[in-house]
Amino acid sequence: MRNKIILFSDSIQSGKTSTVLNWLNGKLNVVGILTPDLDGIRKLYDIQENKYYLFETDINELTDVEVIGRFIFLKSAFKKAAEILKNAVHQKPEWLIIDEIGKLELENLGLEPLLSLILKDFSAFSPETKIIIIVRDSLLQKAIEKYDFKDVEIVNASYFKG
């Protein structure tokens, strides 16, 4: 058995993260990460612990940052996100949420290379877990190719409304 992979894809700033955050309300046995904007700053949200961490900063002089376009992300936040995902593997959750596969991951930065290993670990140790991955529509095909996703379900916001 292989994990069911669901790619939630839509345009930039279309509310993908908020849609999944709302869908989580009342759901049990869900782990993973979301990266919502709160008060104009991107945060890292640990779903299982219901805890937020600083993900984005406006201080470019720090050595612990990764700059992508107009965004300045804390490298320590990527480490925390990887830790959250890595710890989730042996919990055998019903759902794993990953927000997101973006430009950094496609360039082997951000959550990579650990994200690839985590997906393999879930396949081996928790194949019944359904995995929802958020990816913007402009990067969808590249993500499918990079991660060699086969038999994926590509969904939009209506998937989470039911």
Side-chain angles (χ1 to χ4, degrees), residues 71-138:
F71 298 103
I72 306 168
F73 296 110
L74 294 167
K75 289 181 183 176
S76 58
F78 284 107
K79 289 178 187 161
K80 183 64 178 175
E83 175 188 312
I84 292 165
L85 295 173
K86 194 174 175 184
N87 290 338
V89 174
H90 297 288
Q91 295 176 31
K92 300 186 187 241
E94 180 178 357
W95 296 94
L96 170 68
I97 312 292
I98 300 170
D99 182 12
E100 71 176 337
I101 291 177
K103 288 181 182 180
L104 288 174
E105 287 71 28
L106 293 175
E107 295 173 6
N108 293 317
L109 299 168
L111 291 174
E112 280 299 339
L114 192 60
L115 180 57
S116 292
L117 295 173
I118 288 166
L119 291 172
K120 286 179 184 166
D121 283 350
F122 264 93
S123 181
F125 300 112
S126 188
E128 65 284 347
T129 297
K130 295 176 279 296
I131 301 173
I132 296 172
I133 302 172
I134 297 173
V135 58
R136 68 183 69 155
D137 56 0
S138 61

Side-chain angles (χ1 to χ4, degrees), residues 6-11 14-23 132 134-135 154-162:
I6 300 161
L7 299 179
F8 177 22
S9 185
D10 207 337
S11 58
S14 62
K16 297 179 295 296
T17 299
S18 297
T19 297
V20 175
L21 199 53
N22 291 332
W23 175 80
I132 296 172
I134 297 173
V135 58
I154 299 169
V155 301
N156 59 28
S158 64
Y159 177 87
F160 300 94
K161 306 280 191 229

Side-chain angles (χ1 to χ4, degrees), residues 6-70:
I6 300 161
L7 299 179
F8 177 22
S9 185
D10 207 337
S11 58
I12 296 172
Q13 298 293 311
S14 62
K16 297 179 295 296
T17 299
S18 297
T19 297
V20 175
L21 199 53
N22 291 332
W23 175 80
L24 286 173
N25 194 18
K27 295 253 185 308
L28 302 174
N29 206 9
V30 181
V31 299
I33 57 167
L34 287 169
T35 56
D37 285 337
L38 298 174
D39 299 322
I41 274 278
R42 184 82 40 108
K43 303 284 180 143
L44 173 67
Y45 176 61
D46 179 339
I47 295 168
Q48 183 176 24
E49 296 296 324
N50 189 29
K51 191 169 181 181
Y52 289 91
Y53 301 91
L54 192 60
F55 191 48
E56 183 183 0
T57 182
D58 58 359
I59 304 170
N60 197 355
E61 298 84 40
L62 297 174
T63 57
D64 177 43
V65 296
E66 185 78 51
V67 179
I68 181 93
R70 63 183 174 91

